[in-house]
Amino acid sequence: MNPVLLPPTLLAQLDIAVLQRKSGGAFSLIGEPPFWLQQICPELPTDGSPWHPGNYLLYLAHFYEEAEEIWNGEASSQLTSDVWTEEDSTGKEWLLEAIAMKVGQEDLLLIKFPSNDFQTLRSVYQEARDQSLKQYSLLKEIDKREVLLHCTVHDLSAPLAGIRASLWLMHEDKMVQPVGEEFLEIGLDQVDKMQGLINETLTTFSTRSKPLLQSTANLEDAPDVAESVKDVTEALSAMGSLKGVSFRISTEGPEDTAWKVVGDHARLERILFNLLENALRHTRDESMVVIRLRDEGNAIRVSIKDQGKGVPADMIHKLFDKFAQGEGNEKGKAGLGLYFCKITVESWGGEIGCLPNMKDGACFWFTLPKAA
Amino acid sequence: MIHQSSQEVTPNLNLQMTQKKICTLGTSSVGKSSLVARFVKGIFSDSYLTTIGVKIDKKTVSNRGKKVDLLIWDLNGEDRFQKLSMNYLRGTAGYILVVDGTRRNTLDAAISLHHKTQAAIGTVPFVVLINKSDLKDEWEVEEADIADLQARGWTILQTSAKSGTGVEKAFTHLANKLT
Ligand SMILES: Nc1nc2c(ncn2[C@@H]2O[C@H](COP(=O)(O)OP(=O)(O)OP(=O)(O)O)[C@@H](O)[C@H]2O)c(=O)[nH]1
Ligand SMILES: [Mg+2]
């Protein structure tokens, strides 16, 4: 095949630009230029006189380095480039690829649309990425709301319990006149109704787990904290490996220890996730995060020790407050993580804290009663 | 290891000016193309048009008093849908690693891209841009993360392609580190 003999309009109709390499790195166009090439390079000479496409299609300069091997006859007879995008003078983008080939004595450079149709390829990736962005922000929103909901409900329950106790005392000790007694009973009744509403809100809105203030005390549904630690460290191991951080889990206790605790599976994992992610974030590169599980008879104690800078002593008592880390930009989610851990662990009858005076890293711990 | 040719891209045109190739790296939709559009054309768009392959732009900057043509290779983001072809990186004099401040996992992605790039082309100057600083209220990347990276000796700059904050500075900072 001698490309020079092809009908001049054929190549344009195929939407392929065929360029013949001349001396000095210049090229001349064979046949008529396709529409898109004219859009990208309005100065393109159409009479076959030599020009330098690499000055307009900047990607070509990069491709020439590999194409040289084809044209010098050192490699197999053709080479296809990666795809690239050109913007024309109207702002429209064209996805292109180039092919270097040797036909007889001729060095040829073909420029064309990639074999994968541009619009299809782009729209598939676009759709996939749009969707995954949407999913991400949705999950984030759900997460934020769920945590906020639990915190708010927790905060509502405490004063309500106070009101109830006061009213109850007044009622028990007959502190009010008989006419007032009637109102007291209405008050008590309303407090109970409100507590009921709170519980209902929790069951309705928290789709992923059980209400915060209830937990499983029966053995069958009780979460196994050793299992949960294993699952959560596995989920975080990819992130850890980026920093060169590994997790080590150790258990202390009689051989027949059952690691089942009071609590709810999903929330226990979230507590562990919060604490372990925190440790991962603060530990130095190439270090280890150690998780210890200890059987303390009636309770299980979990401690998480990192090898970071540790928590300054004057910060420890504030760590578990709401919005504790709220330095400037870190409001919202960041400040609720440890607060969530605290109210949840405490609602299950456990304790949580951070050891003071650890020089070689922070050590967070919590205890949970064993499931009976 | 991709063979590393001269870092200067020699044009066919008889230009007096040196050209330097730099690349934008990062996972998808962190704002790589937006940063380039802001820097080269001074524009920003809220709509998201994902990059396929590479798009090359040119801008003249001054590098320690001398004029240099920056060839900016705006690459596709690497994510679970599409990998980055290491072939694009050949001849790169430096790169910018872009992170979306509102999505922490984009930081992990940037770090792993950095390691991949280093393995492929060796050590060249780079800067890390934590982008979308106009959305600081929604940032998941924390000061502690930034301090972590700075402790490795990395240059971390905060940018917003939307407002333009820090963008010019980021590119000129990298340009000045190019050899
Ligand atoms: N608020 C805000 N939005 C931004 C900023 N930079 C980029 N965006 C938006 O983020 C989305 C993605 O921006 P792109 O520049 O296309 O991202 P990219 O990194 O080039 O993405 P890929 O090409 O798919 O890898 C677009 O909707 C932009 O408008 C910024 O600084 N602030
Ligand atoms: Mg892009």
Side-chain angles (χ1 to χ4, degrees):
Chain A
M1 176 186 82
N2 182 348
V4 185
L5 296 179
L6 288 173
T9 52
L10 176 67
L11 296 168
Q13 273 168 24
L14 289 174
D15 256 346
I16 298 176
V18 180
L19 301 154
Q20 193 171 8
R21 193 161 79 127
K22 301 288 180 189
S23 59
F27 287 81
S28 60
L29 185 76
I30 298 173
E32 283 178 15
F35 172 74
W36 52 266
L37 188 59
Q38 287 172 304
Q39 290 293 106
I40 297 167
C41 327
E43 301 94 338
L44 172 78
T46 47
D47 58 357
S49 52
W51 66 302
H52 289 282
N55 291 338
Y56 303 91
L57 310 174
L58 297 173
Y59 180 77
L60 290 178
H62 173 84
F63 181 57
Y64 291 160
E65 292 172 26
E66 295 164 292
E68 217 49 72
E69 294 181 4
I70 305 289
W71 294 327
N72 293 337
E74 292 158 17
S76 63
S77 65
Q78 77 175 55
L79 177 75
T80 306
S81 75
D82 283 314
V83 291
W84 81 92
T85 306
E86 284 299 335
E87 192 177 319
D88 68 20
S89 48
T90 68
K92 183 171 165 50
E93 296 195 336
W94 303 89
L95 194 72
L96 301 173
E97 73 182 7
I99 300 173
M101 51 167 82
K102 189 136 187 117
V103 179
Q105 289 307 303
E106 308 288 358
D107 297 345
L108 296 184
L109 177 67
L110 274 56
I111 308 170
K112 62 183 204 54
F113 300 145
S115 15
N116 264 323
D117 174 56
F118 171 29
Q119 293 304 338
T120 322
L121 186 70
R122 170 170 257 173
S123 62
V124 168
Y125 284 136
Q126 187 76 59
E127 180 69 18
R129 290 184 173 138
D130 285 343
Q131 288 304 330
S132 81
L133 277 180
K134 262 193 212 134
Q135 190 195 14
Y136 188 87
S137 59
L138 205 65
L139 280 178
K140 192 164 147 181
E141 194 54 38
I142 290 174
D143 235 48
K144 203 159 83 189
R145 286 197 190 177
E146 197 175 317
V147 170
L148 257 174
L149 180 71
H150 293 316
C151 294
T152 312
V153 167
H154 173 266
D155 289 356
L156 285 178
S157 293
L160 202 59
I163 295 171
R164 194 180 201 294
S166 309
L167 295 182
W168 180 250
L169 273 177
M170 287 164 83
H171 167 74
E172 275 294 281
D173 296 354
K174 311 234 174 333
M175 286 185 208
V176 289
Q177 313 257 312
V179 271
E181 184 62 31
E182 199 180 321
F183 292 117
L184 259 188
E185 269 163 27
I186 294 173
L188 275 167
D189 206 40
Q190 294 299 311
V191 166
D192 288 344
K193 279 222 175 82
M194 193 155 163
Q195 187 62 55
L197 274 177
I198 287 173
N199 293 345
E200 212 170 295
T201 314
L202 279 166
T203 5
T204 318
F205 286 99
S206 117
T207 45
R208 285 194 285 175
S209 38
K210 295 195 186 68
L212 180 67
L213 302 171
Q214 294 166 17
S215 63
T216 30
N218 86 44
L219 199 54
E220 206 146 282
D221 300 337
D224 180 318
V225 64
E227 287 280 306
S228 299
V229 165
K230 219 173 99 228
D231 290 348
V232 175
T233 48
E234 258 161 35
L236 282 168
S237 65
M239 227 165 99
S241 65
L242 280 177
K243 262 186 105 174
V245 174
S246 53
F247 294 106
R248 200 179 70 203
I249 305 171
S250 70
T251 50
E252 280 169 54
E255 223 154 81
D256 60 347
T257 296
W259 299 99
K260 295 215 161 198
V261 292
V262 170
D264 159 80
H265 186 77
R267 278 207 196 86
L268 178 62
E269 290 209 340
R270 176 177 278 150
I271 292 168
L272 286 165
F273 188 89
N274 283 349
L275 293 175
L276 284 167
E277 197 203 30
N278 201 40
L280 193 55
R281 196 172 285 192
H282 291 100
T283 197
R284 354 177 214 91
D285 285 4
E286 313 299 332
S287 64
M288 191 178 304
V289 171
V290 180
I291 303 114
R292 277 205 186 87
L293 293 160
R294 195 165 74 209
D295 184 348
E296 295 193 326
N298 293 328
I300 302 289
R301 182 187 172 92
V302 180
S303 67
I304 291 148
K305 167 96 178 60
D306 67 46
Q307 295 180 309
K309 295 199 197 79
V311 184
D314 58 340
M315 272 295 292
I316 284 187
H317 68 282
K318 287 189 290 192
L319 272 180
F320 296 93
D321 288 356
K322 210 185 310 182
F323 305 119
Q325 293 149 305
E327 298 159 10
N329 65 65
E330 296 167 26
K331 314 183 246 213
K333 178 189 183 254
L336 285 173
L338 288 175
Y339 179 66
F340 173 83
C341 292
K342 182 178 161 77
I343 62 175
T344 312
V345 165
E346 288 177 354
S347 77
W348 291 336
E351 280 181 278
I352 188 166
C354 174
L355 291 185
N357 304 324
M358 296 292 290
K359 292 264 159 9
D360 52 345
C363 183
F364 284 84
W365 59 268
F366 66 89
T367 58
L368 284 175
K370 280 191 187 168
Chain B
M1 180 125 172
I2 294 173
H3 97 110
Q4 194 160 14
S5 64
S6 131
Q7 297 190 339
E8 323 229 319
V9 182
T10 3
N12 300 320
L13 213 65
N14 250 344
L15 274 181
Q16 295 304 309
M17 225 173 302
T18 14
Q19 293 199 345
K20 302 269 189 204
K21 169 178 170 181
I22 63 169
C23 293
T24 60
L25 300 178
T27 191
S28 47
S29 75
V30 291
K32 297 180 294 299
S33 305
S34 304
L35 286 162
V36 175
R38 164 63 69 191
F39 178 60
V40 175
K41 303 196 190 116
I43 53 171
F44 175 80
S45 158
D46 267 313
S47 57
Y48 171 35
L49 195 62
T50 190
T51 307
I52 306 294
V54 59
K55 187 170 166 233
I56 308 176
D57 266 300
K58 195 150 86 172
K59 174 152 171 154
T60 310
V61 295
S62 65
N63 175 352
R64 288 176 247 133
K66 275 195 311 191
K67 293 264 181 240
V68 174
D69 260 349
L70 276 189
L71 282 182
I72 307 169
W73 283 50
D74 176 29
L75 301 176
N76 69 263
E78 172 162 302
D79 55 18
R80 67 198 149 108
F81 307 115
Q82 197 184 17
K83 292 283 155 251
L84 179 67
S85 160
M86 288 289 130
N87 192 22
Y88 289 132
L89 301 175
R90 176 159 44 87
T92 293
Y95 52 93
I96 61 176
L97 272 179
V98 185
V99 173
D100 178 348
T102 67
R103 286 179 293 150
R104 187 168 191 286
N105 58 358
T106 66
L107 175 61
D108 305 327
I111 294 171
S112 84
L113 268 172
H114 164 71
H115 290 312
K116 253 171 88 169
T117 304
Q118 247 191 351
I121 63 164
T123 305
V124 295
F126 69 97
V127 289
V128 182
L129 309 193
I130 321 272
N131 190 40
K132 310 200 182 175
S133 63
D134 54 294
L135 300 176
K136 266 228 152 150
D137 280 359
E138 294 166 37
W139 269 30
E140 291 177 359
V141 172
E142 296 178 4
E143 293 300 332
D145 297 319
I146 297 177
D148 251 16
L149 297 179
Q150 278 167 337
R152 303 182 186 203
W154 292 11
T155 306
I156 319 292
L157 298 167
Q158 302 186 16
T159 55
S160 165
K162 187 166 188 167
S163 72
T165 311
V167 177
E168 183 88 25
K169 186 176 157 205
F171 280 92
T172 37
H173 183 94
L174 179 63
N176 283 322
K177 289 213 283 189
L178 302 179
T179 48

